[in-house]
Amino acid sequence: MVFHSQAMVHVNGVTNENIDDHLKALFIEEQFSIYKPLTGTHIFVCCHGNRDEGCGFYGNQVYKEFEDKTKSYPDVHVYKSTCLLSHKYAGMLTIFQGPETSKSSNANFKVIGDMYGFITPKVVPQLVKYNVLGGTYYKEFWIGRMNMKPATAPKFANL
Protein backbone atom coordinates (compact mmCIF):
# COMPACT_ATOMS: atom_id res chain seq x y z
CA MET A 1 0.00 0.00 0.00
CA VAL A 2 1.18 3.51 -0.78
CA PHE A 3 -0.47 6.49 0.90
CA HIS A 4 0.20 9.97 -0.49
CA SER A 5 -0.91 12.33 2.25
CA GLN A 6 -0.96 15.56 0.21
CA ALA A 7 -3.01 14.11 -2.61
CA MET A 8 -5.03 11.99 -0.13
CA VAL A 9 -4.87 8.95 -2.35
CA HIS A 10 -4.35 5.33 -1.38
CA VAL A 11 -2.86 3.02 -3.97
CA ASN A 12 -3.73 -0.67 -3.78
CA GLY A 13 -2.03 -3.43 -5.72
CA VAL A 14 1.50 -2.10 -5.32
CA THR A 15 4.09 -4.82 -5.87
CA ASN A 16 7.87 -4.91 -6.12
CA GLU A 17 7.45 -5.06 -9.89
CA ASN A 18 5.24 -1.95 -10.27
CA ILE A 19 6.18 0.27 -7.34
CA ASP A 20 8.53 2.42 -9.43
CA ASP A 21 5.69 3.22 -11.86
CA HIS A 22 3.34 4.17 -9.04
CA LEU A 23 5.92 6.32 -7.27
CA LYS A 24 6.79 8.10 -10.51
CA ALA A 25 3.11 8.81 -11.21
CA LEU A 26 2.51 10.11 -7.67
CA PHE A 27 5.67 11.97 -6.77
CA ILE A 28 7.24 13.07 -10.05
CA GLU A 29 4.39 13.44 -12.52
CA GLU A 30 1.76 14.22 -9.83
CA GLN A 31 -0.89 12.20 -11.66
CA PHE A 32 -3.22 12.09 -8.69
CA SER A 33 -6.38 11.90 -10.78
CA ILE A 34 -5.60 8.35 -11.93
CA TYR A 35 -6.06 7.14 -8.35
CA LYS A 36 -9.24 7.09 -6.33
CA PRO A 37 -9.15 9.88 -3.74
CA LEU A 38 -9.61 9.02 -0.10
CA THR A 39 -12.14 10.67 2.11
CA GLY A 40 -12.72 10.52 5.83
CA THR A 41 -10.15 10.18 8.57
CA HIS A 42 -7.03 8.02 8.40
CA ILE A 43 -5.08 7.28 11.57
CA PHE A 44 -1.52 5.94 11.33
CA VAL A 45 -0.16 4.54 14.60
CA CYS A 46 3.53 3.66 14.88
CA CYS A 47 3.50 0.05 16.06
CA HIS A 48 6.87 -1.41 15.18
CA GLY A 49 9.34 -2.15 17.92
CA ASN A 50 12.49 -2.53 15.81
CA ARG A 51 13.89 0.94 16.51
CA ASP A 52 12.12 1.64 19.76
CA GLU A 53 10.42 -0.81 22.09
CA GLY A 54 8.05 1.95 23.23
CA CYS A 55 6.47 2.17 19.78
CA GLY A 56 5.93 -1.58 19.69
CA PHE A 57 4.51 -1.64 23.21
CA TYR A 58 2.38 1.52 23.30
CA GLY A 59 1.61 1.64 19.59
CA ASN A 60 -0.08 -1.75 19.48
CA GLN A 61 -2.19 -0.90 22.53
CA VAL A 62 -3.17 2.48 21.05
CA TYR A 63 -3.95 0.86 17.70
CA LYS A 64 -6.31 -1.66 19.34
CA GLU A 65 -8.00 1.09 21.35
CA PHE A 66 -8.52 3.24 18.23
CA GLU A 67 -9.99 0.27 16.39
CA ASP A 68 -12.37 -0.35 19.29
CA LYS A 69 -13.43 3.30 19.71
CA THR A 70 -13.92 3.98 15.98
CA LYS A 71 -15.45 0.73 14.72
CA SER A 72 -18.90 2.31 14.49
CA TYR A 73 -17.60 5.10 12.22
CA PRO A 74 -17.22 3.76 8.65
CA ASP A 75 -15.26 6.82 7.47
CA VAL A 76 -12.53 6.33 10.08
CA HIS A 77 -9.66 4.01 9.15
CA VAL A 78 -6.87 2.92 11.49
CA TYR A 79 -3.54 1.58 10.22
CA LYS A 80 -0.38 0.23 11.78
CA SER A 81 2.65 2.04 10.41
CA THR A 82 6.26 2.86 11.00
CA CYS A 83 7.04 6.12 12.71
CA LEU A 84 6.20 9.31 10.84
CA LEU A 85 8.12 11.41 13.37
CA SER A 86 10.75 10.65 15.96
CA HIS A 87 10.68 7.62 18.21
CA LYS A 88 11.32 9.89 21.17
CA TYR A 89 7.54 10.48 21.13
CA ALA A 90 6.73 6.74 21.54
CA GLY A 91 3.06 6.28 21.47
CA MET A 92 3.17 8.34 18.25
CA LEU A 93 0.48 8.72 15.62
CA THR A 94 -0.70 10.96 12.81
CA ILE A 95 -4.33 11.66 12.01
CA PHE A 96 -5.01 12.66 8.40
CA GLN A 97 -8.28 14.31 7.47
CA GLY A 98 -9.46 15.54 4.11
CA PRO A 99 -11.15 18.93 3.66
CA GLU A 100 -14.61 17.40 4.02
CA THR A 101 -13.74 16.19 7.53
CA SER A 102 -11.49 18.83 9.09
CA LYS A 103 -13.03 21.84 10.79
CA SER A 104 -9.63 23.40 11.40
CA SER A 105 -9.62 27.18 11.18
CA ASN A 106 -6.13 27.11 9.71
CA ALA A 107 -6.66 24.63 6.87
CA ASN A 108 -4.29 26.03 4.25
CA PHE A 109 -3.80 22.63 2.66
CA LYS A 110 -6.12 20.04 1.15
CA VAL A 111 -5.20 17.52 3.81
CA ILE A 112 -4.69 18.07 7.52
CA GLY A 113 -2.14 15.82 9.22
CA ASP A 114 -2.03 16.33 12.97
CA MET A 115 0.78 14.57 14.81
CA TYR A 116 0.57 13.39 18.41
CA GLY A 117 3.10 11.90 20.82
CA PHE A 118 3.20 10.10 24.15
CA ILE A 119 -0.22 8.59 23.46
CA THR A 120 -1.53 5.82 25.69
CA PRO A 121 -4.83 3.96 25.34
CA LYS A 122 -6.36 6.29 27.99
CA VAL A 123 -5.89 9.29 25.65
CA VAL A 124 -7.63 7.68 22.65
CA PRO A 125 -11.20 8.68 23.66
CA GLN A 126 -10.14 12.34 23.78
CA LEU A 127 -8.48 12.11 20.37
CA VAL A 128 -11.61 10.52 18.95
CA LYS A 129 -13.79 13.23 20.50
CA TYR A 130 -11.70 16.25 19.45
CA ASN A 131 -9.76 15.28 16.35
CA VAL A 132 -11.63 12.42 14.71
CA LEU A 133 -15.22 13.50 15.38
CA GLY A 134 -14.71 17.17 16.19
CA GLY A 135 -12.42 17.94 13.25
CA THR A 136 -9.99 19.93 15.37
CA TYR A 137 -6.84 19.00 17.25
CA TYR A 138 -6.37 17.85 20.85
CA LYS A 139 -3.88 20.31 22.30
CA GLU A 140 -2.45 18.34 25.21
CA PHE A 141 -0.54 15.73 23.17
CA TRP A 142 -0.33 17.64 19.87
CA ILE A 143 3.17 17.83 18.41
CA GLY A 144 2.47 19.67 15.17
CA ARG A 145 0.83 19.61 11.80
CA MET A 146 2.15 18.56 8.42
CA ASN A 147 3.20 21.47 6.24
CA MET A 148 3.13 23.89 9.14
CA LYS A 149 6.32 25.81 9.72
CA PRO A 150 7.76 25.13 13.20
CA ALA A 151 7.57 28.82 14.10
CA THR A 152 3.83 28.82 13.32
CA ALA A 153 2.91 25.79 15.47
CA PRO A 154 3.19 27.46 18.92
CA LYS A 155 1.13 30.45 17.76
CA PHE A 156 -1.47 28.16 16.18
CA ALA A 157 -1.70 26.07 19.35
CA ASN A 158 -1.71 29.16 21.58
CA LEU A 159 1.35 27.88 23.40
Side-chain angles (χ1 to χ4, degrees):
M1 171 181 85
V2 173
F3 176 75
H4 190 295
S5 61
Q6 288 304 302
M8 200 68 169
V9 295
H10 175 205
V11 182
N12 284 322
V14 177
T15 65
N16 287 337
E17 291 76 31
N18 67 14
I19 191 166
D20 289 338
D21 295 334
H22 287 293
L23 293 176
K24 181 179 176 187
L26 285 170
F27 295 101
I28 296 172
E29 299 168 356
E30 296 186 351
Q31 296 179 1
F32 307 129
S33 62
I34 64 174
Y35 299 103
K36 182 179 178 186
L38 290 178
T39 58
T41 299
H42 301 268
I43 304 164
F44 290 83
V45 182
C46 181
C47 292
H48 76 83
N50 293 345
R51 290 180 54 198
D52 186 295
E53 290 180 10
C55 290
F57 180 76
Y58 291 110
N60 284 297
Q61 292 179 25
V62 168
Y63 172 82
K64 289 175 188 171
E65 188 70 11
F66 260 112
E67 283 216 315
D68 182 56
K69 298 294 185 209
T70 61
K71 64 185 169 193
S72 62
Y73 303 104
D75 289 340
V76 177
H77 312 278
V78 185
Y79 309 93
K80 290 183 176 184
S81 74
T82 60
C83 204
L84 302 175
L85 270 178
S86 169
H87 288 275
K88 71 180 183 179
Y89 300 111
M92 208 291 309
L93 59 93
T94 303
I95 300 175
F96 292 100
Q97 294 179 306
E100 80 290 344
T101 307
S102 177
K103 296 176 184 148
S104 172
S105 61
N106 196 21
N108 296 323
F109 293 89
K110 248 177 24 175
V111 177
I112 301 300
D114 285 313
M115 298 169 279
Y116 294 93
F118 307 115
I119 303 301
T120 64
K122 291 180 182 181
V123 177
V124 171
Q126 296 301 321
L127 288 171
V128 171
K129 176 182 176 181
Y130 287 98
N131 197 297
V132 176
L133 301 178
T136 186
Y137 67 99
Y138 183 55
K139 185 176 179 178
E140 187 174 348
F141 295 93
W142 188 74
I143 297 171
R145 177 171 282 177
M146 285 181 40
N147 296 317
M148 183 177 280
K149 294 178 181 171
T152 307
K155 182 179 176 186
F156 176 75
N158 298 318
L159 300 176

